[in-house]
Amino acid sequence: MRNKQPTIWDIAIKLNVSISTVSRALRNAPDINPETKKAVLELAQELDYQPNTIATSLRKNKTNIIGVMVPEFVHAYFPNVILGIQEVANAEDYKVMIMQSAESLEIEKHNLQAMMSSRVEGLILAITRETNDYGHIISAQRKGLPIVFFNRIVDELPGSKVMVNDYQGAFMAVEHLIQTGCRRIAHLAGPQNLTIGRNRLNGYLDALKTYQLPIEESLIMPCNFEEGKTRMYTQALLNQTNRPDALFAVNDPTAIEALICIQENGMNIPEHISLVGFSNAPHSAFITPPMTSVVQPLHEIGRHAAELLIRQLNEGTHFIPETHTLDAKLVIRKSTRKA
Amino acid sequence: MRNKQPTIWDIAIKLNVSISTVSRALRNAPDINPETKKAVLELAQELDYQPNTIATSLRKNKTNIIGVMVPEFVHAYFPNVILGIQEVANAEDYKVMIMQSAESLEIEKHNLQAMMSSRVEGLILAITRETNDYGHIISAQRKGLPIVFFNRIVDELPGSKVMVNDYQGAFMAVEHLIQTGCRRIAHLAGPQNLTIGRNRLNGYLDALKTYQLPIEESLIMPCNFEEGKTRMYTQALLNQTNRPDALFAVNDPTAIEALICIQENGMNIPEHISLVGFSNAPHSAFITPPMTSVVQPLHEIGRHAAELLIRQLNEGTHFIPETHTLDAKLVIRKSTRKA
DNA sequence: AGAATTTTCGGCAACGTTTCCGATAACGTT
DNA sequence: AACGTTATCGGAAACGTTGCCGAAAATTCT
């Protein structure tokens, strides 16, 4: 059983003052005698007094907690974003409450309820892969919960959003392939119902157009993030009589699967075929060869999301939600040829 | 600005009953008319009432929150442990508050204060690499905060502990090397002031003894988790006239650094030299060659820690702390020879 | 029918804090 | 000397709940 923690009451009694006075001393209010203040602070120190934030939250109707909900945090992506969130949140004296939805809509709903119940002041949210019904989110927003979305964006929903310029990242990747001499560039594409799938495909297409390379349908493979499919489509590409000299994959897991397939066919990267990934899986630098990839500014995504949320908390109703689009960066490693 | 969330007051007024009645209905107390209860629940549903957990916590002096503090969570290790923690915590109706100390003693102290201030009921803790003064921990424990330690264990501190059998894991690793024909097995060792460093070294030594292989001081390198040192010591080993035919590294990052050094020397793994890591970095399966490594039951560590903590919360003062030691598992990939 | 019991409910105090409001005392002003 | 100011403090209400205690109403028992 816990020993009871000391309260301002204990301090007040020992010092023979009122609890109001103690309270004033503790949060340096102006109208207090410096000497009594000193006495209070010393005794608080001695008793190792920790203010009961629960009572404070209840009284002030303010928890100073912002919620963060992500689909998972065992891969490096979301933890790094959270790091950025925590940086600015801590600087602004907010605490962060982290929950994961495990890619389950049901858990997402449940967690959202828990967050509302805990009276978080705002929420930074990356929705589940299977979230196609936004009732719970809209309902929370209608109750006045500010929400900032990132990573998985839904255009229909109001609120600030932080996203990465997938189009520009894809364009850069393909441009790099072209500039290093590749001419038949295939794309292992993502689902076209997701914006990231569409945008990356568009970046690919526009880069080809810009450099006046022909667009061939047979070089665009709908891998759709699905394991197994990627291998099959990669094999199909390699079997083409006029096989591609480069692969641009919609994300790193897809790229890695393609890499394995290529190596099993006895081909070398990048001599026979170049490969670019997207999104920077943590180990993309450690595989052989280290993979050229489009990396996202994870830290910055978190910082922007937190800043937008806190601005909204401060400015209240007359804050107008913003959408921030951050550029991606191409990290050139050894799965593409030298310029 | 937030719209105010509905309270039991709002429900009480609309239904023309007292707040006590509403409260009773909401937490199905026995002394209430089923019909009024139904009415309350329906209205609560309609208003989308979410109980204010802050008020409840204050009133009941119970937050139902357990704290988790880890040095970082951008690598896979701790997130996976947290997953296990959350599983059992959620099942027991506890919420989890996660903080990271960023390997900084100062932040660890600060976070601990915040946790005390938030009145977490217990703490699951992996201390910082630089934590050598335990004043803040002892003080929290004296105030009645139950703490379960894992990963970084300090023998002197009271409280339950969950650890991995480093000795057994190391023994298995070296045994595997021996059984696949290696005879001169070097050890890239960790800091000897940490139990994990000592235990893994002992497992290495005892495996050699068991199989009656000679122990050579010149094959034991104090890499101490330090980047750069590993490379230097590995190079020294490769330069020996009678160079080792196997390396057992104290952890995966060390192993990977050694791997790079070996490959730069133009040697093949495992033909020229076998390599075993420890602790299973997420990418150890993706490097070339995929690395044989001792893996820890991360999920189970989390589950045990949470179970121990919750048992302590339930049983109160007459709970006697326990230390659980979980076995590690050897995952054989391709950096060691076939049997 | 009256008493005893049960069911159902409302009042109220508490949890620890903040904050408004008013009280007191010491000071300076005319 | 009477007044206004200022510095410092205490009292008390409030935040949203829970849970004890007792009251009223409904039910059962004699």
Side-chain angles (χ1 to χ4, degrees):
Chain A
M1 288 305 94
R2 311 276 314 248
N3 295 329
K4 250 193 40 177
Q5 302 239 59
T7 72
I8 54 172
W9 238 95
D10 302 316
I11 299 183
I13 291 214
K14 281 209 181 122
L15 254 43
N16 208 21
V17 294
S18 77
I19 58 168
S20 329
T21 304
V22 177
S23 175
R24 270 189 289 263
L26 254 21
R27 61 196 156 83
N28 41 6
D31 53 343
I32 187 163
N33 188 327
E35 290 182 22
T36 50
K37 178 171 173 177
K38 183 156 163 282
V40 168
L41 291 181
E42 278 175 0
L43 184 55
Q45 174 84 25
E46 186 190 335
L47 295 180
D48 194 18
Y49 165 81
Q50 310 282 358
N52 188 327
T53 55
I54 298 174
T56 307
S57 294
L58 183 58
R59 171 60 229 243
K60 302 218 283 189
N61 242 321
K62 188 162 189 344
T63 55
N64 265 42
I65 297 181
I66 67 185
V68 174
M69 179 150 51
V70 296
E72 51 88 12
F73 52 65
V74 311
H75 297 108
Y77 189 99
F78 290 112
N80 272 302
V81 175
I82 293 175
L83 237 48
I85 294 174
Q86 282 179 322
E87 267 185 32
V88 343
N90 289 341
E92 302 275 342
D93 216 46
Y94 280 92
K95 279 181 284 185
V96 175
M97 177 172 197
I98 307 165
M99 296 198 144
Q100 49 182 338
S101 52
E103 296 283 12
S104 147
L105 174 56
E106 198 183 351
I107 298 182
E108 182 175 281
K109 285 182 186 171
H110 180 265
N111 284 349
L112 185 55
Q113 296 234 335
M115 294 247 179
M116 295 293 286
S117 216
S118 300
R119 300 300 192 263
V120 298
E121 301 188 16
L123 176 61
I124 297 176
L125 176 61
I127 62 172
T128 288
R129 204 191 300 137
E130 68 179 41
T131 302
N132 45 13
D133 170 30
Y134 309 117
H136 55 303
I137 297 174
I138 293 172
S139 145
Q141 286 179 317
R142 250 205 299 266
K143 281 196 180 172
L145 183 77
I147 303 185
V148 175
F149 300 90
F150 75 102
N151 184 264
R152 324 263 178 107
I153 305 291
V154 180
D155 291 328
E156 303 95 278
L157 288 173
S160 293
K161 289 157 191 140
V162 178
M163 36 195 294
V164 163
N165 197 333
D166 289 306
Y167 171 88
Q168 167 262 354
F171 191 99
M172 282 174 63
V174 177
E175 186 174 47
H176 170 68
L177 289 171
I178 297 172
Q179 288 174 343
T180 55
C182 299
R183 285 298 171 268
R184 279 183 63 79
I185 301 170
H187 178 39
L188 305 175
Q192 291 306 301
N193 60 332
L194 294 186
T195 46
I196 81 169
R198 288 197 301 271
N199 290 339
R200 292 179 190 178
L201 173 61
N202 286 337
Y204 161 81
L205 294 173
D206 281 4
L208 292 184
K209 277 183 211 154
T210 302
Y211 287 88
Q212 293 162 341
L213 290 181
I215 289 168
E216 294 188 32
E217 287 293 335
S218 64
L219 292 181
I220 300 172
M221 297 305 202
C223 296
N224 292 356
F225 296 164
E226 290 173 57
E227 243 167 297
K229 266 197 178 176
T230 302
R231 184 188 214 86
M232 191 183 80
Y233 282 123
T234 306
Q235 190 62 56
L237 285 169
L238 299 181
N239 290 346
Q240 291 186 7
T241 47
N242 189 10
R243 69 160 172 75
D245 55 6
L247 258 54
F248 166 55
V250 66
N251 67 2
D252 275 2
T254 301
I256 289 178
E257 207 176 332
L259 174 134
I260 293 172
C261 179
I262 293 170
Q263 291 181 335
E264 284 179 355
N265 276 265
M267 298 187 185
N268 283 341
I269 301 173
E271 290 79 9
H272 296 113
I273 197 160
S274 290
L275 182 63
V276 181
F278 204 117
S279 185
N280 205 30
H283 47 269
S284 55
F286 290 100
I287 56 176
T288 322
M291 191 163 61
T292 296
S293 191
V294 181
V295 316
Q296 304 186 20
L298 304 179
H299 224 244
E300 286 303 310
I301 294 174
R303 296 190 60 97
H304 278 260
E307 276 162 12
L308 282 169
L309 183 59
I310 291 175
R311 269 183 47 213
Q312 181 166 5
L313 292 178
N314 292 335
E315 300 178 17
T317 36
H318 48 78
F319 171 85
I320 299 171
E322 301 174 8
T323 294
H324 289 193
T325 304
L326 308 180
D327 271 7
K329 214 175 67 181
L330 182 68
V331 172
I332 300 173
R333 299 204 184 86
K334 303 197 169 164
S335 69
T336 50
R337 311 181 204 164
K338 300 222 164 148
Chain B
M1 286 303 99
R2 309 281 311 252
N3 296 329
K4 251 192 43 177
Q5 301 237 59
T7 72
I8 53 172
W9 237 95
D10 302 315
I11 299 182
I13 292 214
K14 283 210 181 122
L15 255 42
N16 207 22
V17 294
S18 77
I19 58 168
S20 329
T21 303
V22 177
S23 175
R24 269 190 291 262
L26 255 21
R27 60 196 153 81
N28 42 6
D31 52 345
I32 187 163
N33 188 328
E35 290 182 21
T36 49
K37 178 171 172 176
K38 183 157 163 281
V40 168
L41 290 182
E42 278 175 1
L43 184 55
Q45 174 84 26
E46 186 189 336
L47 296 180
D48 195 17
Y49 164 82
Q50 310 282 357
N52 187 326
T53 55
I54 299 173
T56 307
S57 294
L58 181 60
R59 170 62 230 246
K60 302 218 283 189
N61 243 320
K62 188 160 187 347
T63 55
N64 263 42
I65 296 180
I66 67 185
V68 174
M69 179 151 49
V70 296
E72 49 88 14
F73 53 65
V74 310
H75 297 107
Y77 188 99
F78 289 111
N80 274 301
V81 176
I82 294 175
L83 237 47
I85 294 174
Q86 281 179 322
E87 266 184 31
V88 343
N90 289 340
E92 302 275 342
D93 216 44
Y94 279 92
K95 280 181 283 185
V96 175
M97 176 173 198
I98 306 166
M99 298 198 140
Q100 50 182 339
S101 52
E103 297 282 12
S104 147
L105 174 56
E106 198 182 350
I107 298 182
E108 181 176 283
K109 285 181 184 171
H110 179 266
N111 284 350
L112 186 54
Q113 296 234 337
M115 294 247 180
M116 296 293 286
S117 218
S118 299
R119 300 299 193 265
V120 298
E121 300 188 19
L123 176 61
I124 297 177
L125 176 62
I127 61 172
T128 289
R129 204 191 299 135
E130 68 181 41
T131 302
N132 45 14
D133 168 31
Y134 311 117
H136 54 303
I137 296 173
I138 293 171
S139 145
Q141 288 179 314
R142 249 206 300 268
K143 282 196 180 172
L145 183 76
I147 303 184
V148 174
F149 300 90
F150 75 101
N151 184 265
R152 323 263 177 108
I153 304 291
V154 181
D155 290 329
E156 302 96 279
L157 288 172
S160 293
K161 287 156 192 143
V162 179
M163 37 195 291
V164 162
N165 197 335
D166 290 304
Y167 171 88
Q168 168 260 353
F171 191 99
M172 281 174 63
V174 176
E175 186 174 46
H176 170 68
L177 289 171
I178 297 172
Q179 289 173 342
T180 55
C182 300
R183 286 297 171 267
R184 278 183 62 79
I185 301 170
H187 179 39
L188 305 174
Q192 292 304 300
N193 60 333
L194 294 186
T195 46
I196 82 168
R198 288 197 302 271
N199 289 339
R200 292 178 190 179
L201 173 61
N202 285 336
Y204 161 82
L205 294 174
D206 281 5
L208 293 183
K209 278 184 211 152
T210 302
Y211 287 87
Q212 293 163 342
L213 291 179
I215 290 167
E216 292 188 32
E217 288 293 336
S218 65
L219 292 182
I220 301 172
M221 297 306 203
C223 297
N224 291 355
F225 297 164
E226 291 174 57
E227 243 166 297
K229 265 198 177 174
T230 302
R231 185 187 213 84
M232 191 183 81
Y233 282 123
T234 305
Q235 190 62 55
L237 284 170
L238 299 181
N239 291 345
Q240 290 187 9
T241 46
N242 189 10
R243 68 161 171 75
D245 53 8
L247 257 55
F248 165 55
V250 67
N251 66 4
D252 275 0
T254 301
I256 289 177
E257 207 176 330
L259 174 134
I260 294 172
C261 180
I262 293 170
Q263 291 181 334
E264 284 178 355
N265 276 263
M267 297 188 186
N268 283 339
I269 299 174
E271 290 78 9
H272 297 112
I273 196 162
S274 290
L275 181 62
V276 181
F278 204 117
S279 188
N280 205 31
H283 46 271
S284 54
F286 292 99
I287 57 178
T288 323
M291 191 163 60
T292 297
S293 189
V294 180
V295 317
Q296 304 186 20
L298 303 178
H299 223 245
E300 285 304 309
I301 294 174
R303 296 189 60 96
H304 277 259
E307 277 162 10
L308 281 169
L309 183 59
I310 291 174
R311 268 183 47 211
Q312 182 166 4
L313 292 177
N314 292 335
E315 299 177 17
T317 36
H318 46 78
F319 171 85
I320 299 169
E322 301 174 8
T323 295
H324 289 192
T325 305
L326 309 181
D327 271 8
K329 213 174 67 181
L330 182 68
V331 172
I332 300 173
R333 299 203 183 86
K334 303 198 169 165
S335 69
T336 49
R337 311 181 203 164
K338 299 223 164 146

